[in-house]
Amino acid sequence: MAAQICILGAGTGGTLTANRLRKAVPDALITVVDENDQHVYQPGLLFVPFGLADAEDIVRPRGKQLHQGITYLQSAIDHVDIDGQHVHLADGSLLDHDVLVVATGSRLVPEETEGLLGAGWMDTVFTFYDLNGATALARALDEFDGGRVVVNVVDLPIKCPVAPLEFCFLVDWYFHERGIRDRVELTYVTPLDGAFTKPIASKQLGGMLAERGIELVTEFNTGEVDGDRARLVSYDGREVPFDLAVIVPVHSGAEYVGRSPGLGDSLDFVVTDPHTLQAAVAPNVFAIGDAANLPASKAGSVTHFEGEVLVANIASFLDGEPLESAYDGHANCFIETGFHKAMLIDFNYDTEPVDGHFPTVVGAPLLKESRLNHLGKLMFQWFYWHALLPGRDIPGVSPEMPTAGKHLPTPS
Ligand SMILES: Cc1cc2nc3c(=O)[nH]c(=O)nc-3n(C[C@H](O)[C@H](O)[C@H](O)COP(=O)(O)OP(=O)(O)OC[C@H]3O[C@@H](n4cnc5c(N)ncnc54)[C@H](O)[C@@H]3O)c2cc1C
């Protein structure tokens, strides 16, 4: 009998996994489920507030991204019966499976922060982390004529941890372009003790904020967004006033994970082996992308690199072979820095971003602003729809982090 593989979520991870499995395990019956039919190219959300992209550029139908022979179902997921090997859909129907892949990403939970959805929401308080928010923010920025703009990450983990910094660099460029930069005070407010999590990149990015006159407020744990008084209030009583606040809300896993005993952690992220991508709850359950509780960035690049390992491991599982512990935490991010430049970082679980070149000694510069990296960032959208989602290999780019072009510290 053909194996039944059920993939929950038709975003980056679910789509590329389904398309790769179609080739790797051609006899399998593959079903992909998602609650809506709008596949958003999420890195494009960064550009929407500045009028550099709009919904038509970054949204495509989900079903059309899946290869022939893959079944696409549009429904919300209610819960998973792990032992019975069924997925219960919101419409009451059941999906049986031999192998389950959880690819339902992470969700924004702004309601977790006091006041965030209250006075000022979508008027003076916005997020660019979803399409509605990014579109509304574009209008607000267009009308903004001067004052205090505050960019705040409420808590980690978040998708693409560099995106709020990119927003700071772009908004600095945007106000320069409009000729009103001298009338705008920019502040980046983070719960971290520096601009970023990784020390070398954090120092560099912190320096770049300072060069641009963007104030950095660290170790700020936002307890309340007080829209009436137009200020962020931390749990320890500090306040940051604003005229326009751009908030990255708290993230969690999908709600149904919490209704599926044993599958998730306290934030509804799936407890997953960081190297094999097998879930702790059962050997036939796997997770990919933002849905997994891995110590890796929640990023499309991570999801892409995981996909190759995941598909090989599902094929091994179906053949009764041991799984390869092959995923090394490889992440690769272009960081848009404004003025038509970008930086590139490449790292994994054990190696923090260092300088050098990617993917080898000749290539894009690492940890350095360049026009080449900006072009890379723009071209990535084409790669996303035409190579990454269809499950094609990208020449010279492998799941394993390359070391050839990197200036790595000498081991002591
Ligand atoms: C502003 C922004 C900028 C970003 N920039 C970059 C970047 O430059 N580079 C980069 O690598 N990454 C970037 N990312 C992150 C990247 O988009 C995500 O990490 C990636 O899409 C994760 O893929 P995924 O498959 O895990 O989740 P997703 O692509 O989010 O897919 C999850 C899917 O699950 C579905 N789903 C969820 N719950 C249910 C349910 N109960 N029932 C049915 N379906 C459900 C959703 O509808 C969705 O389609 C950015 C993200 C944002 C928000």
Side-chain angles (χ1 to χ4, degrees):
M1 274 244 303
Q4 297 190 71
I5 303 177
C6 180
I7 300 177
L8 305 182
T12 312
T15 304
L16 69 87
T17 301
N19 288 337
R20 282 183 176 271
L21 279 170
R22 186 81 190 94
K23 286 182 263 179
V25 194
D27 296 337
L29 300 171
I30 303 169
T31 304
V32 186
V33 188
D34 204 291
E35 60 194 352
N36 64 58
D37 195 32
Q38 279 206 317
H39 189 134
V40 178
Y41 172 65
Q42 296 177 55
L45 292 173
L46 173 69
F47 296 107
V48 171
F50 308 105
L52 300 172
D54 58 31
E56 275 151 43
D57 304 322
I58 61 170
V59 181
R60 296 193 181 183
R62 292 191 190 283
K64 290 226 164 97
Q65 314 312 316
L66 294 166
H67 292 335
Q68 252 191 344
I70 297 170
T71 305
Y72 176 60
L73 289 181
Q74 196 179 314
S75 170
I77 297 147
D78 187 69
H79 69 280
V80 182
D81 171 357
I82 303 285
D83 295 335
Q85 301 191 187
H86 313 295
V87 176
H88 291 249
L89 300 180
D91 63 9
S93 57
L94 286 188
L95 277 180
D96 295 335
H97 56 264
D98 300 303
V99 168
L100 181 71
V101 178
V102 180
T104 34
S106 54
R107 90 193 158 92
L108 308 179
V109 276
E111 61 275 19
E112 285 286 310
T113 303
E114 190 183 334
L116 180 51
L117 296 178
W121 179 241
M122 293 288 202
D123 179 23
T124 53
V125 180
F126 296 87
T127 184
F128 68 98
Y129 262 55
D130 61 25
L131 196 51
N132 280 344
T135 308
L137 179 55
R139 286 193 292 270
L141 280 178
D142 191 42
E143 287 164 13
F144 196 77
D145 204 29
R148 288 167 298 205
V149 175
V150 167
V151 180
N152 173 224
V153 175
V154 175
D155 203 356
L156 296 167
I158 59 168
K159 297 190 242 198
C160 194
V162 294
L165 285 161
E166 296 180 278
F167 186 91
C168 289
F169 298 138
L170 278 177
V171 83
D172 166 65
W173 162 81
Y174 171 84
F175 287 128
H176 267 288
E177 285 290 295
R178 285 190 41 202
I180 60 164
R181 178 64 182 90
D182 57 344
R183 300 214 295 267
V184 181
E185 271 176 47
L186 291 178
T187 308
Y188 182 55
V189 182
T190 167
L192 295 172
D193 60 3
F196 192 52
T197 43
K198 315 271 174 186
I200 297 175
S202 180
K203 196 166 164 223
Q204 174 132 357
L205 291 160
M208 288 163 60
L209 290 173
E211 271 165 28
R212 289 159 171 80
I214 302 170
E215 189 193 354
L216 175 62
V217 175
T218 57
E219 294 179 334
F220 190 98
N221 293 303
T222 307
E224 183 185 356
V225 178
D226 182 343
D228 286 324
R229 291 169 60 238
R231 52 200 62 222
L232 308 179
V233 185
S234 69
Y235 283 111
D236 58 5
R238 291 148 74 200
E239 296 194 349
V240 177
F242 61 79
D243 295 302
L244 183 74
V246 179
I247 309 283
V248 180
V250 171
H251 288 36
S252 78
E255 267 180 308
Y256 78 86
V257 172
R259 295 193 293 267
S260 309
L263 187 57
D265 64 11
S266 59
L267 294 175
D268 294 340
F269 292 117
V270 177
V271 183
T272 307
D273 182 292
H275 300 291
T276 63
L277 306 175
Q278 193 173 38
V281 70
N284 67 329
V285 180
F286 295 81
I288 182 169
D290 297 352
N293 75 336
L294 303 188
S297 291
K298 298 208 176 294
S301 64
V302 166
T303 310
H304 170 215
F305 298 135
E306 288 172 348
E308 288 191 38
V309 174
L310 174 67
V311 167
N313 275 345
I314 291 174
S316 300
F317 176 82
L318 290 171
D319 289 343
E321 302 285 337
L323 309 187
E324 258 193 281
S325 282
Y327 181 59
D328 66 357
H330 187 194
N332 177 290
C333 305
F334 286 109
I335 306 175
E336 192 68 13
T337 56
F339 299 92
H340 316 294
K341 290 192 177 169
M343 228 165 72
L344 179 62
I345 54 176
D346 191 70
F347 55 102
N348 68 12
Y349 289 140
D350 304 317
T351 310
E352 66 169 307
V354 290
D355 60 3
H357 289 87
F358 174 85
T360 181
V361 280
V362 181
L366 290 167
L367 265 187
K368 204 187 233 171
E369 288 181 71
S370 77
R371 281 180 189 269
L372 182 65
N373 287 337
H374 169 66
L375 290 178
K377 174 100 186 172
L378 297 185
M379 272 172 57
F380 191 72
Q381 183 166 350
W382 188 93
F383 273 106
Y384 184 82
W385 298 114
H386 299 283
L388 194 143
L389 289 186
R392 295 203 176 91
D393 292 331
I394 302 178
V397 179
S398 72
E400 213 173 295
M401 187 199 76
T403 51
K406 293 203 167 83
H407 301 156
L408 294 167
T410 346
S412 48

